Amino acid sequence: MRFLFFILAGFLLLTSCQQKTASTSMSDYFTYGDSIQAGGVKMIPIKTPVGDFKVWTKRFGTNPTIKILLLHGGPAMTHEYMECFETFFQKEGFEFYEYDQLGSYYSDQPTDSTLWTTDRFVEEVEQVRQAIGADSSNFYVLGNSWGGILGMEYALKYQKNLKALLVANMMASAPEYGKYADDVLAKQMKPDVLAEIRAIEAKKDFANPRYMELLIPHFYKEHLCRLTTWPDGFNRSMKHGNGVIYTMMQGPSEFGIGGRLAKWDIKNRLKEITIPTLMIGAKHDTMDPKAMEEQSKLVQKGRYLYCPDGSHLAMWDDQKVFMTGVIQFIHDVDSGNL
């Protein structure tokens, strides 16, 4: 009987220690050291050539070896469609940041058109990096779509400050992206639908509601997000997007590319990227998945992740494959296996 008592006492002590360790670990993860707790939300000051502004960020967790900055697409969409990372990254104990770039809904929205250049956005990301205390020992950038352009451009200038780069669903050449839309994706549409879309585009009648009435079911639902019901976060991003900046840089829609980004092309510079880099492509994407695979071979330490059921937002419509591959890549970089 006395023997059983000591076994039970030992078990209770061990359980108590385990619970205390787990509790302490969770406490450390969610303690940011702020004088006023705001759920990780901070407005980070940004200096630009035309004045000082603030951008919205939200931090999740504390991890000195893994700090991930999420770069949303658009340009001038919002962090909201990337909220799906919250479930997966918190389980892994990653420290990560949702972030609305300048001009987006939750950040300041200045109207000076000289601000909307890739180079200026790169400098913004660098200032955000400094503000969150990240460096080459722990800084990961994960960009989707336009965020992928921004991530690649940031790496070309500031890779000395990066641990790794993840590019989700963005080709390194805007002209090749446009050609893929015209030569491959457009031909998958019904001829009468395509003809009506092209007629609207020829007239530059982009405010015509018929334009999106055609594009959403015949292009966006096929190549942007294939879920029957679009996620709430994606719907909010669509609702909150800054159309002025988006049109100025991307053009009137996702069906090809125009605006200031129309001639953007850094494909021949990918060989300059020496940090571990994950390129993510998807079968139904607006971006050619074969081009994404090629890009993984053009960088010096590349890996390719293919999402067979995914589209431009494979983080949603091929979520298991996407998140498993992303998380594995981050762990491999963190452990020195890549």
Side-chain angles (χ1 to χ4, degrees):
M1 190 70 172
R2 189 174 181 181
F3 177 70
L4 290 175
F5 171 78
F6 281 117
I7 291 178
L8 179 59
F11 173 77
L12 292 173
L13 179 61
L14 177 62
T15 302
S16 175
C17 289
Q18 289 175 336
Q19 289 175 342
K20 184 176 181 180
T21 300
S23 176
T24 301
S25 175
M26 291 297 287
S27 175
D28 292 342
Y29 184 72
F30 288 108
T31 298
Y32 304 147
D34 298 335
S35 58
I36 298 176
Q37 296 299 323
V41 173
K42 282 188 178 179
M43 299 297 291
I44 293 178
I46 297 295
K47 293 184 180 298
T48 79
V50 300
D52 297 345
F53 304 100
K54 292 183 178 180
V55 295
W56 182 97
T57 63
K58 182 171 183 177
R59 172 183 171 181
F60 293 81
T62 302
N63 187 326
T65 68
I66 300 175
K67 298 176 185 286
I68 306 165
L69 183 64
L70 300 176
L71 302 181
H72 63 71
M77 293 293 282
T78 72
H79 72 280
E80 291 161 303
Y81 80 87
M82 303 185 89
E83 290 171 348
C84 54
F85 286 98
E86 296 174 17
T87 302
F88 295 90
F89 281 7
Q90 287 185 94
K91 287 180 180 178
E92 300 299 321
F94 298 160
E95 179 178 327
F96 64 101
Y97 295 78
E98 294 173 345
Y99 154 43
D100 262 26
Q101 299 151 28
L102 190 64
S104 295
Y105 187 76
Y106 292 92
S107 293
D108 287 348
Q109 300 177 19
T111 57
D112 191 320
S113 63
T114 64
L115 290 166
W116 316 127
T117 67
T118 303
D119 289 344
R120 209 282 312 158
F121 274 110
V122 166
E123 297 308 314
E124 177 182 319
V125 172
E126 172 60 7
Q127 292 181 63
V128 171
R129 178 198 67 81
Q130 294 174 26
I132 66 176
D135 57 35
S136 60
S137 70
N138 56 26
F139 188 40
Y140 297 72
V141 164
L142 191 164
N144 168 252
S145 192
W146 148 254
I149 291 179
L150 186 52
M152 286 185 275
E153 287 279 12
Y154 179 82
L156 286 171
K157 185 170 184 179
Y158 288 113
Q159 66 180 314
K160 66 181 183 297
N161 299 328
L162 273 170
K163 180 83 169 179
L165 172 67
L166 298 89
V167 178
N169 316 91
M170 188 65 230
M171 293 165 65
S173 168
E176 289 187 12
Y177 156 31
K179 189 174 188 300
Y180 185 68
D182 290 340
D183 295 351
V184 178
L185 302 183
K187 293 178 180 178
Q188 296 175 12
M189 286 186 179
K190 295 178 180 178
D192 57 330
V193 171
L194 179 60
E196 191 174 355
I197 289 172
R198 293 306 193 202
I200 293 172
E201 291 177 338
K203 296 177 182 177
K204 298 188 182 301
D205 187 18
F206 301 117
N208 187 334
R210 182 62 178 162
Y211 189 52
M212 280 299 164
E213 285 176 8
L214 291 166
L215 282 177
I216 287 177
H218 297 287
F219 188 79
Y220 282 54
K221 287 278 189 179
E222 293 293 327
H223 303 293
L224 209 69
C225 183
R226 292 171 63 83
L227 296 179
T228 303
T229 301
W230 278 355
D232 177 65
F234 180 43
N235 286 329
R236 281 183 280 123
S237 272
M238 294 284 281
K239 178 181 178 181
H240 292 152
N242 188 324
V244 173
I245 299 172
Y246 176 87
T247 303
M248 189 181 300
M249 294 188 73
Q250 160 73 26
S253 76
E254 294 291 305
F255 189 25
I257 189 164
R260 294 179 175 179
L261 291 171
K263 296 181 180 180
W264 176 82
D265 191 334
I266 52 94
K267 185 176 178 180
N268 65 352
R269 295 193 61 197
L270 289 178
K271 61 182 178 293
E272 300 173 28
I273 298 179
T274 61
I275 56 172
T277 302
L278 179 67
M279 297 287 182
I280 307 170
K283 180 178 180 180
H284 306 285
D285 197 357
T286 55
M287 305 293 158
D288 183 357
K290 292 181 180 178
M292 298 303 303
E293 183 176 16
E294 181 186 12
Q295 288 171 200
S296 72
K297 298 173 182 176
L298 293 175
V299 297
Q300 294 190 31
K301 295 180 182 177
R303 178 182 293 181
Y304 180 55
L305 173 62
Y306 178 64
C307 300
D309 295 321
S311 66
H312 199 51
L313 299 186
M315 64 189 72
W316 284 105
D317 53 23
D318 202 357
Q319 193 169 80
K320 185 175 181 179
V321 171
F322 182 99
M323 292 297 181
T324 300
V326 164
I327 289 167
Q328 185 62 56
F329 173 80
I330 293 169
H331 281 307
D332 286 346
V333 173
D334 185 52
S335 62
N337 292 328
L338 186 62

